[in-house]
Amino acid sequence: MRFNQTFTVTEFLFSGFPQIEDGSLLFFIPLFIIYIFIVTGNLIVFFAVRIDIRLHNPMYNFISIFSLLEIWYTTATIPKMLSNLISKKRTISIIGCLLQMYFFHSLGNSEGILLTAMAIDRYVAICNPLRYPTIMTPQLCAQLSAGSCIFGFLVLLPEIAWISTLPFCGPNQIHQLFCDFEPVLRLACTDTSMILVEDVIHAIAIIFSVLIIAVSYIRIITVILKIPSVEGRQKAFSTCASHLGVFLMFYGSVSLMYLRFSATFPPILDTIIALMFAVLAPFFNPIIYSLRNKDMKIAIKKLLCLQKMFDASAS
């Protein structure tokens, strides 16, 4: 393996704008604003949960951990996208490419596992409310949160280690916004049939998580519909609406990207799908959690008021 070898990153969406003066700034500014919003919005959600004692329960703890993961998830790719927009030489070293793949997908895996834990939490809360305090203890909640991150980062190590041993040749052009498994494997000077194996592994992991979450919510909705009062049904649905929205957005875009196997999409569609799960889904997550949740909105207002009081006292 030659560590000084580089991949030329070809971004079809921006290929017509290689220089700032040719229009790349038009893409740089909105992407930069979106990234700042993602980081700021998720930090607000995280600290609002940590500061408001009323939100110290498993559901909001999972939300705060998810928000923290979202910050690092987008940081693994968006800063490099931004630098490519204003750089004449859009390259990334092999080491940098492998690290980007590892952290991006490890954080994505951790989020997927955490979403599954959140679905189980809502299932227990609604389907077994009397046993919820004894089942979802703070210890179990902490174990699920830590386990999601640990497993998410460990499961990809063999895959990344295997890719690092492959010889790379040819034009080394990655026709994607960031380093991803399939584009990188296609550059290997070896049998690319392993791409299908990679697709199957990813598909099994995605489908398994989706099935667990889907079964949980089918059961949840069945129980909610049996609640006699309209107010009770609305309250039960409101506790699940945010998580269900994030789940649909996250796994919907991920499925489009990784459950197509040998199917090929036009380059512009590939770029749009990549933007959906790498940029747009994280962008909407803090909005969904803050606007769809009354308790969260109250906690955020308290956090902002505390910040204003701190700024006033400091001045």
Side-chain angles (χ1 to χ4, degrees):
M1 177 178 177
R2 292 172 292 169
F3 292 99
N4 61 346
Q5 186 178 359
T6 59
F7 292 128
T8 301
V9 182
T10 304
E11 301 148 321
F12 279 98
L13 183 61
F14 310 124
S15 60
F17 310 99
Q19 306 295 334
I20 291 180
E21 58 267 24
D22 293 329
S24 291
L25 193 61
L26 297 175
F27 297 96
F28 178 91
I29 293 175
L31 184 60
F32 178 74
I33 293 173
I34 288 173
Y35 177 62
I36 295 299
F37 176 84
I38 290 171
V39 174
T40 304
N42 281 291
L43 280 176
I44 289 174
V45 171
F46 176 80
F47 284 111
V49 172
R50 296 301 171 184
I51 290 174
D52 196 329
I53 193 171
R54 296 181 309 161
L55 302 185
H56 291 180
N57 59 56
M59 181 180 73
Y60 289 107
N61 179 70
F62 289 139
I63 289 175
S64 68
I65 299 299
F66 187 85
S67 296
L68 202 59
L69 289 174
E70 283 282 78
I71 295 172
W72 295 110
Y73 175 76
T74 52
T75 301
T77 56
I78 295 182
K80 184 60 180 176
M81 294 183 199
L82 291 170
S83 69
N84 285 334
L85 282 171
I86 57 176
S87 174
K88 295 181 180 180
K89 188 178 180 182
R90 301 174 177 177
T91 61
I92 184 170
S93 67
I94 288 183
I95 293 296
C97 187
L98 292 174
L99 287 174
Q100 187 181 68
M101 279 196 299
Y102 174 68
F103 283 106
F104 178 73
H105 285 281
S106 293
L107 290 161
N109 284 343
S110 299
E111 288 185 1
I113 299 168
L114 194 62
L115 284 173
T116 306
M118 292 165 71
I120 295 172
D121 171 74
R122 290 299 83 204
Y123 171 81
V124 177
I126 293 175
C127 300
N128 294 283
L130 297 179
R131 299 180 58 195
Y132 181 75
T134 58
I135 295 176
M136 295 301 298
T137 62
Q139 293 78 11
L140 179 60
C141 182
Q143 290 170 359
L144 288 173
S145 299
S148 299
C149 298
I150 293 171
F151 182 79
F153 275 83
L154 288 179
V155 71
L156 275 177
L157 281 177
E159 191 171 359
I160 295 296
W162 168 71
I163 294 175
S164 69
T165 64
L166 299 177
F168 294 99
C169 58
N172 290 355
Q173 292 186 344
I174 300 176
H175 301 293
Q176 186 55 277
L177 293 171
F178 49 85
C179 290
D180 208 354
F181 290 116
E182 184 175 357
V184 171
L185 287 174
R186 292 193 181 280
L187 303 179
C189 308
T190 184
D191 182 16
T192 58
S193 60
M194 283 299 295
I195 294 176
L196 180 59
V197 177
E198 295 287 321
D199 288 341
V200 171
I201 293 172
H202 296 156
I204 291 174
I206 294 169
I207 292 172
F208 183 71
S209 297
V210 169
L211 284 176
I212 293 176
I213 298 174
V215 169
S216 297
Y217 271 96
I218 289 172
R219 177 59 179 161
I220 288 170
I221 293 172
T222 302
V223 171
I224 290 176
L225 292 176
K226 293 179 180 179
I227 298 175
S229 67
V230 176
E231 183 180 352
R233 288 197 297 269
Q234 290 178 343
K235 184 177 180 180
F237 270 122
S238 67
T239 63
C240 302
S242 299
H243 175 257
L244 190 57
V246 171
F247 158 69
L248 291 174
M249 186 172 297
F250 179 83
Y251 277 105
S253 56
V254 167
S255 298
L256 284 174
M257 194 70 184
Y258 298 110
L259 293 183
R260 57 186 179 180
F261 297 100
S262 59
T264 57
F265 295 154
I268 186 64
L269 185 57
D270 262 341
T271 300
I272 292 172
I273 294 172
L275 283 173
M276 281 178 60
F277 76 88
V279 179
L280 295 182
F283 172 77
F284 285 108
N285 287 344
I287 298 175
I288 293 173
Y289 279 129
S290 60
L291 296 182
R292 292 288 302 175
N293 193 297
K294 182 180 178 180
D295 292 334
M296 184 65 75
K297 285 191 285 187
I298 294 173
I300 291 173
K301 288 179 181 178
K302 286 184 178 180
L303 176 64
L304 296 178
C305 288
L306 285 174
Q307 181 62 41
K308 289 180 181 178
M309 291 173 59
F310 177 78
D311 293 339
S313 62
S315 60

